[in-house]
Amino acid sequence: MKDYIEERAIQIANYIIENNATVRQTAKEFGISKSTVHKDVTDRLIQLNPSLAAEARKVLDVNKSERHIRGGLATREKYLHQHVC
């Protein structure tokens, strides 16, 4: 079981880096919770592969800093579509 979790943590990090993915997108892709994605990248992966963990963390930090912009755009789209209908 431990090997599976370690392998999953590495796969998650690679997915995040390759796809510039958010925690939510990654959780959906792997069928796990957002908190599990976060724990795999921040806790487990640092022990397994610190450089990979740092690279994945950079992507997640950028996504987090842009989160409020994406939310605003989604809200804007929602209300634009409501007025058209």
Side-chain angles (χ1 to χ4, degrees):
M1 184 70 170
K2 187 176 180 182
D3 292 336
Y4 168 74
I5 293 173
E6 291 173 352
E7 182 64 31
R8 182 187 68 200
I10 292 170
Q11 288 175 345
I12 285 172
N14 286 327
Y15 179 81
I16 289 170
I17 293 164
E18 290 169 8
N19 298 294
N20 201 28
T22 63
V23 171
R24 187 173 295 226
Q25 291 167 336
T26 305
K28 187 174 183 180
E29 177 69 24
F30 284 85
I32 56 178
S33 70
K34 295 183 299 180
S35 57
T36 302
V37 171
H38 186 71
K39 182 157 181 80
D40 280 355
V41 173
T42 57
D43 294 346
R44 295 183 179 117
L45 195 59
I46 287 174
Q47 297 169 2
L48 299 172
N49 189 336
S51 61
L52 185 62
E55 211 174 325
R57 186 78 230 169
K58 282 182 196 174
V59 174
L60 293 179
D61 287 343
V62 168
N63 286 338
K64 186 175 181 182
S65 70
E66 295 172 348
R67 175 173 60 188
H68 66 285
I69 296 169
R70 284 193 303 273
L73 291 174
T75 302
R76 182 173 183 256
E77 282 295 312
K78 173 185 170 184
Y79 288 108
L80 284 174
H81 284 84
Q82 281 184 354
H83 291 296
V84 171
C85 295

